[in-house]
Amino acid sequence: MQRAQDGSESEAPLRREDAASSGTQERGPAPGREWRIRPSTVIGGVALVLLCLVVYLPGFFSLPVVDRDEARFAQASRQMLEAATLPESERRPEVHGGGWLVPMVQDRVRLNKPPLIYWLQAGSAWVFSGGNAFRDAIWMYRVPSLLAAVAAAMMVWRLGASMFDARVGWVGAALLAVSPMVAWEAHQARADLVLLAATVAAMWGLWEVWKRAGGVARHSVPVCCDQTGVDGAAERTGSESRGTRTLRWAVVFWVAVAAGVMTKGPATPLVAGLCALALSVSGRRWRWLLRLRPEIGVMVLLLAVGPWVWAVAERVGWGSYWQTVLDETLGRGVAAREGHWGLPGYHTLLLPVLLWPGSLLTLWGVLLAWRAFRRRGEDTGGRPDMVGAQAAHGTGDGAQAARGAAEAYRFCFAWFAPAWIVFELVTTKLPHYTLPMYPALALLSARAVFAATNRALEVRRLGLVKVPWVAIGAAICIGLPAACFAIGVRHSWSIIPLGLVWVLGLVIWVDQWRRPWDSPRWLGRQLAGIVAMAATAPLLFQAVMPGAKKLWLSQRVMEVVRSADPAGARPLAAMEFHEDSLVFLTRGRVTRLNEADAGAWWRANPGGLMVLPTSKVLRLHSPVGEVEGFNYSRGKWERLTVVGMPAYREQAP
């Protein structure tokens, strides 16, 4: 693969990067030859998978169940598994009546999320528990998230190789894989990473259809490794035509969209639809949308979504189901749900933290993409600042490659910007809502890093880059472990080797950012940030967080409950402490009460146990044990007491 050529001089530093975009080009195979997987492709894939596993596996088995969403997802999936594996005599209709069709948490229907994630999690637990629901563990429900995180990283790598080149694709995938957002989600049994993988697959299919429909010039985008075609640059000859390949990518697109809908509703079609709309409006071309074969899309969506929607609506009632759909879509847009509220700009402020270390030059990558997006596609190839590599090659290939790189920028901008604005305007806000747009930002960030390294992009006001990036990295890599130690960490043997690796990673990172920032060491700094995150994640997830016992109130409550009731035979209730992690740890047998209901529960269950705030303990209660810790779901310290009743103690043998 040829090295990137520096572009022609221009007064605007951003324009010089466009010239560099055109110099990275790799020739395709000779006519009649098929692409083969090269060693560099295998090494790159293995390295990326290993990087993912280094970040995701530590703590995967030892991290306790996390409130609140993970506990809800896992409990609903467990009840599906129990409905399928328990003998009929042991099933409870109020808990297992939903079967594999209607997700339920205890006796409450949970239809605010479609069923695919529950099916995947229940299937994973069925495989690893040998079909015995009572042998399950929280990590079994996390497996789909881990696999989806690895799959998303691999797809971003290959998509980036198709858009720009293999190096940009690999670094962009690595930045996404080690980002705090993805690293944390990979340790949880939630739907967000499955949604991310589905969205990346859909956007990959959309990109391939877009470029084959004329969105990208012939010989325009760098071909890399085993890539099989870029709008005719490396298409196979023989029986496989361009139309056939476009049809295949259209099918990939619609299947991925259907998977996204069945995972988390409208997020994937929203991102993909806004991207297609933005590309059509900016390029003033609409006929390419027919290449997506909407008739196939309608059929795929109806076959994937229709049977489940019909069955559920028949079960719970059409009015109830549509009200749930409206509450989860329009309702979240106009009113904050569950206290998750934020002003416009919420996601943008969190981006430098949640994408770190990839946020080093994200702003510059976005500016480059915006400059390409605001031009009409037919105008980009003829501008002097876009064809700097043409003279270097001595042919017209440079202009074509420049236009292809500009189209890749435009696609990335159309991927993230319209949907990002929508999520900023939505009233209900949570950090992970914008996760489906992170792959585009990671690729733009990686592209900007290579441009700055090649001196094709001039980064001014270095203090605005250095200070936030270093400060955020220090907060994540040093501040988070320190905060856990301040709360109190029960040491384990693993803290010593993991601590040594952590120190080594920090030394590599510090060595890079302490060097002069006016030198073109941008790639080194970016890779050092990846090393720092890869060294911090094992320490944080494996040794520090699981050992910070005061973070895991439900787990400590269960230790007290088991000491008083080893057989698990006594009724159990929780007053005011209604965290879903306690529901999961008790396998759904805990009854959640308000203070007004406590007396009636005691009369009905005189031999039971109750978890309640210490301040609510009465003289007639018989304390069994007390725990204190930080309830991160509510953002406050709590002291809880497990109590029984004297009447039970007198009757006990």
Side-chain angles (χ1 to χ4, degrees), residues 532-554:
M533 272 300 298
T536 300
L539 175 72
L540 188 63
F541 292 127
Q542 180 66 38
V544 177
M545 291 186 68
K549 296 300 181 180
K550 291 187 177 180
L551 286 175
W552 315 111
L553 274 171
S554 294

Side-chain angles (χ1 to χ4, degrees), residues 14 360-369 448 457-460 465:
L14 290 180
L360 178 63
L361 291 180
T362 300
L363 176 60
W364 277 260
V366 169
L367 291 175
L368 290 168
L457 169 64
E458 182 181 350
V459 181
R460 298 176 179 175
V465 182

Side-chain angles (χ1 to χ4, degrees), residues 3-7 13 16-17 20-21 24 165 167-168 171 175 360-361 364-365 368 409 444-460 462 465 512 516-528:
R3 294 184 174 273
Q5 304 288 336
D6 290 344
R16 297 197 301 170
E17 201 288 320
S21 307
T24 306
D165 63 43
R167 299 170 302 166
V168 172
V171 173
L175 294 178
L360 178 63
L361 291 180
W364 277 260
L368 290 168
Y409 279 128
L444 291 177
S445 302
R447 185 61 177 166
V449 165
F450 278 101
T453 300
N454 294 334
R455 297 182 181 273
L457 169 64
E458 182 181 350
V459 181
R460 298 176 179 175
L462 296 173
V465 182
Q512 284 295 321
W517 280 67
D518 56 355
S519 61
R521 296 180 177 271
W522 296 101
L523 181 58
R525 296 184 190 107
Q526 191 68 92
L527 294 178

Side-chain angles (χ1 to χ4, degrees), residues 591-639:
T591 302
R592 294 189 275 195
L593 303 172
N594 295 319
E595 188 171 1
D597 302 323
W601 189 87
W602 280 123
R603 288 190 294 271
N605 303 278
L609 296 172
M610 183 180 291
V611 183
L612 71 167
T614 301
S615 61
K616 302 290 185 179
V617 175
L618 304 176
R619 287 186 177 182
L620 55 87
H621 292 148
S622 177
V624 174
E626 183 179 284
V627 299
E628 181 182 5
F630 182 69
N631 188 338
Y632 51 84
S633 296
R634 303 179 66 181
K636 67 176 186 178
W637 285 89
E638 290 195 40
R639 180 176 293 178

Side-chain angles (χ1 to χ4, degrees), residues 335-517:
R337 296 302 175 92
E338 301 176 353
H340 302 309
W341 174 84
L343 291 170
Y346 170 95
H347 295 294
T348 303
L349 289 176
L350 288 179
L351 176 64
V353 178
L354 300 181
L355 189 58
W356 197 91
S359 54
L360 178 63
L361 291 180
T362 300
L363 176 60
W364 277 260
V366 169
L367 291 175
L368 290 168
W370 164 243
R371 291 189 66 239
F373 182 80
R374 69 182 181 180
R375 302 169 183 158
R376 292 179 58 186
E378 60 268 27
D379 293 337
T380 56
R383 295 180 62 91
D385 57 317
M386 297 292 290
V387 293
Q390 182 175 356
H393 287 289
T395 67
D397 290 346
Q400 295 171 337
R403 179 180 174 184
E407 293 298 331
Y409 279 128
R410 290 181 61 218
F411 188 89
C412 287
F413 189 86
W415 179 344
F416 88 87
W420 194 279
I421 293 172
V422 170
F423 282 108
E424 289 286 20
L425 296 177
V426 168
T427 305
T428 304
K429 288 183 173 66
L430 282 170
H432 60 266
Y433 280 5
T434 53
L435 183 57
M437 286 80 83
Y438 274 44
L441 292 168
L443 289 174
L444 291 177
S445 302
R447 185 61 177 166
V449 165
F450 278 101
T453 300
N454 294 334
R455 297 182 181 273
L457 169 64
E458 182 181 350
V459 181
R460 298 176 179 175
R461 299 183 180 180
L462 296 173
L464 296 178
V465 182
K466 176 181 178 180
V467 174
W469 190 72
V470 172
I472 293 170
I476 294 172
C477 298
I478 301 174
L480 284 180
C484 291
F485 276 107
I487 293 173
V489 174
R490 184 180 299 174
H491 302 297
S492 64
W493 66 268
S494 62
I495 201 168
I496 296 177
L498 293 177
L500 294 176
V501 173
W502 172 67
V503 171
L504 178 61
L506 290 184
V507 168
I508 294 174
W509 177 56
V510 171
D511 178 67
Q512 284 295 321
W513 64 255
R514 65 181 290 273
R515 298 171 183 267
W517 280 67

